[in-house]
Amino acid sequence: ERDFYSEITRARADELSKELQGHLNKVHMVAHSDFMESMDVEAILPFLSSLLNHSDFKGMTIAQPDGQAWTTYGATIDIREQEQFTKIFERNKLYAISDPFYSPYFYDDVPIITLSYAIQRGNTTVGLLNAVLTTRFMETIISDIRFDTYGYAWIVDGNGGIVAHPDPNIDIIHDYTAIIKEIDTQPFTSGSGSFNYIGYNDEKMLAVYSTIHNTNAWKLVISVQESQAFDQLISVMNFIDWAIIISLLSLISFAFIYANTLTKPIVKLTEVFGIAEKGDLSVVADTSVKNELGVAA
């Protein structure tokens, strides 16, 4: 049963990974065009704005190694405090996907993630291209994962912080403890796995998780009520239990009848021998038994 839910979780995690990889590939293609290498901001910004009309991106930014950046929504900002700046300009990474955050420049009520790629001239990084996605595309995918009356999917980052959850009251300001009331072990200790916990509705839950590749160790988690997760298995176990009970009752009944069939003739024959031993040779044994005891009689 756990393997069954693990397969579902891995498949959906791969689906999310491919979705993110597809968006990242688009950023990669733009960042590595000859047009971008020029870092001619005045020429590049109109080009980036035109790309937004045909994509899921909500905005794009081009940044220089000093942290100064220009956006398609008309703002000039400093990105030196943002993680993609550190990864690409200071750690020489080619690309970066951020954890969700609330941006002062975008939607106040919807977290965003940024997909960034280095702009290189030869082997030198001369800038970075930043594209913005909201987390709604992930919420759409996880909202489709339902199991009967009580089963759902959610996403956590590498530190256990919430990335996406179907409950609108649980967002990126929370971590997994907003969902888990009681747990016996430390969750998310490996790339994939499962654990049992008590939810805030006091239900016993089974959680199965798998890593979403191309992210900062995000995990897709599927939570299902234990009673529901093992419903089919419990049905089989109950069937086996009843089958064993019925078999035992049948065996006891058969043993009782069979034992009486053997023991009663033996007891009677023993009584006959006892009477004859005392000198009464007129006694007659029961010869009607249809087995070796009848022959002995």
Side-chain angles (χ1 to χ4, degrees):
E1 289 292 316
R2 288 177 186 269
D3 288 344
F4 167 73
Y5 287 106
S6 294
E7 285 298 326
I8 294 175
T9 308
R10 276 194 292 270
R12 290 307 181 100
D14 288 343
E15 181 182 344
L16 270 167
S17 176
K18 290 175 182 177
E19 186 87 10
L20 283 168
Q21 185 63 52
H23 289 306
L24 189 61
N25 288 343
K26 294 174 186 176
V27 180
H28 180 199
M29 289 175 61
V30 177
H32 279 69
S33 64
D34 295 337
F35 181 70
M36 297 295 292
E37 289 182 13
S38 68
M39 287 299 292
D40 184 348
V41 176
E42 292 186 2
I44 289 173
L45 283 178
F47 168 66
L48 295 180
S49 296
S50 68
L51 295 179
L52 297 179
N53 298 326
H54 309 285
S55 73
D56 296 325
F57 299 126
K58 305 305 178 183
M60 285 186 164
T61 301
I62 182 172
Q64 292 180 337
D66 62 0
Q68 187 174 12
W70 295 265
T71 70
T72 54
Y73 47 88
T76 301
I77 59 177
D78 188 337
I79 67 165
R80 284 178 295 179
E81 300 300 321
Q82 298 183 14
E83 61 178 296
Q84 67 268 29
F85 177 87
T86 301
K87 288 182 178 179
I88 290 176
F89 287 127
E90 296 181 2
R91 299 181 188 173
N92 296 317
K93 301 287 186 180
L94 285 178
Y95 67 89
I97 298 178
S98 74
D99 288 330
F101 63 96
Y102 287 106
S103 170
Y105 309 106
F106 279 92
Y107 313 91
D108 293 336
D109 58 339
V110 180
I112 66 169
I113 60 173
T114 59
L115 296 90
S116 307
Y117 231 103
I119 301 172
Q120 292 188 317
R121 188 182 299 131
N123 293 323
T124 303
T125 298
V126 295
L128 71 77
L129 176 63
N130 202 55
V132 174
L133 283 173
T134 71
T135 57
R136 281 179 175 153
F137 82 95
M138 293 185 292
E139 292 168 357
T140 300
I141 292 177
I142 65 173
S143 65
D144 291 337
I145 305 174
R146 291 284 176 179
F147 294 92
D148 296 333
T149 57
Y150 199 77
Y152 60 92
W154 44 296
I155 301 173
V156 295
D157 63 26
N159 298 316
I162 301 299
V163 174
H165 193 278
D167 185 345
N169 295 317
I170 299 175
D171 60 15
I172 62 172
I173 66 173
H174 301 94
D175 61 18
Y176 68 88
T177 57
I179 300 163
I180 294 174
K181 179 179 179 181
E182 183 180 328
I183 189 171
D184 294 331
T185 59
Q186 186 70 21
F188 316 120
T189 53
S190 59
S192 61
S194 64
F195 57 89
N196 299 84
Y197 70 93
I198 304 296
Y200 265 89
N201 54 0
D202 291 325
E203 290 281 354
K204 291 183 178 180
M205 304 292 292
L206 167 68
V208 182
Y209 65 89
S210 185
T211 297
I212 303 171
H213 302 293
N214 305 312
T215 64
N216 298 330
W218 295 357
K219 305 286 192 302
L220 174 66
V221 190
I222 290 181
S223 290
V224 191
Q225 277 184 347
E226 280 190 26
S227 58
Q228 180 180 304
F230 301 117
D231 186 52
Q232 293 182 357
L233 182 61
I234 290 170
S235 297
V236 173
M237 291 172 65
N238 288 338
F239 174 80
I240 293 172
D241 288 344
W242 278 110
I244 291 173
I245 291 171
I246 293 170
S247 298
L248 285 174
L249 291 174
S250 300
L251 181 60
I252 291 169
S253 300
F254 174 77
F256 179 76
I257 294 170
Y258 187 70
N260 282 339
T261 303
L262 289 178
T263 57
K264 283 184 178 180
I266 293 174
V267 170
K268 289 181 179 180
L269 192 56
T270 303
E271 291 174 351
V272 169
F273 287 150
I275 294 171
E277 184 182 19
K278 294 176 181 178
D280 185 358
L281 300 181
S282 64
V283 68
V284 179
D286 182 7
T287 60
S288 64
V289 181
K290 304 299 183 181
N291 54 27
E292 290 83 352
L293 293 174
V295 176

